[in-house]
Amino acid sequence: MSDARSDILQLAREMAESGLYRGWRSIEGRLRADGLPRVRKALDDDVRRELDQRCQTLRAPR
């Protein structure tokens, strides 16, 4: 895995863990807005599912 992809995945996972995002689409949008145009390529289907799951788990009412 390239360093750039690894960095993007780490950021995306941290964002998902923050509980501030609804899913991978909102995370991708934020990262792209922050100047990371290769985000879409880095987030494959498995990662997208993982991010959605993390976001949903942390946003669920307790």
Side-chain angles (χ1 to χ4, degrees):
M1 182 179 332
S2 73
D3 286 342
R5 182 170 188 258
S6 180
D7 290 345
I8 289 170
L9 294 178
Q10 180 179 345
L11 285 170
R13 287 179 175 124
E14 288 172 5
M15 293 169 76
E17 293 290 331
S18 75
L20 300 174
Y21 297 88
R22 292 180 174 251
W24 72 266
R25 284 187 171 97
S26 58
I27 291 171
E28 178 186 329
R30 178 77 259 166
L31 290 172
R32 288 174 60 105
D34 287 346
L36 297 170
R38 295 193 174 140
V39 168
R40 183 170 298 256
K41 204 174 210 181
L43 302 182
D44 61 29
D45 288 341
D46 290 335
V47 173
R48 289 175 180 166
R49 279 190 291 276
E50 173 193 340
L51 294 175
D52 277 347
Q53 183 178 20
R54 288 181 187 214
C55 289
Q56 290 170 7
T57 299
L58 288 162
R59 290 182 57 86
R62 296 179 181 160

